[in-house]
Amino acid sequence: ETIEINIKDNGIGIDNSSKQKDSTHVSRGMKITSDRIKLLNKNSERQIEFTIEQLGDSGTEVRFSIPAA
């Protein structure tokens, strides 16, 4: 059993946003989220899954799948 969280927005999209930034830009929010999930998964048999993808020409969807206790 898992808890599913899906977040969609209608902005320019993650891929389009990345193209507009220079190559030295680092998304701190994405890195912090990824690092926290890796840390939680390190000590657990049931893994949290996290995906982010562009929706067509614009918009982004972020999905979390969290094992229920």
Side-chain angles (χ1 to χ4, degrees):
E1 192 171 322
T2 61
I3 298 168
E4 303 287 332
I5 301 170
N6 296 319
I7 304 164
K8 292 182 182 180
D9 78 19
N10 61 352
I12 66 169
I14 190 74
D15 295 340
N16 296 332
S17 177
S18 295
K19 290 175 187 173
Q20 292 180 358
K21 296 180 177 127
D22 65 47
S23 62
T24 61
H25 176 78
V26 176
S27 173
R28 294 208 181 3
M30 294 296 294
K31 175 144 177 44
I32 289 167
T33 300
S34 179
D35 289 349
R36 285 183 180 174
I37 290 172
K38 286 178 188 174
L39 183 62
L40 290 167
N41 284 344
K42 184 177 178 180
N43 298 318
S44 177
E45 288 183 22
R46 300 182 69 199
Q47 302 290 290
I48 297 171
E49 296 177 16
F50 166 72
T51 60
I52 184 166
E53 65 181 75
Q54 174 129 351
L55 299 174
D57 292 333
S58 64
T60 301
E61 181 173 24
V62 179
R63 285 186 228 115
F64 293 91
S65 180
I66 304 167

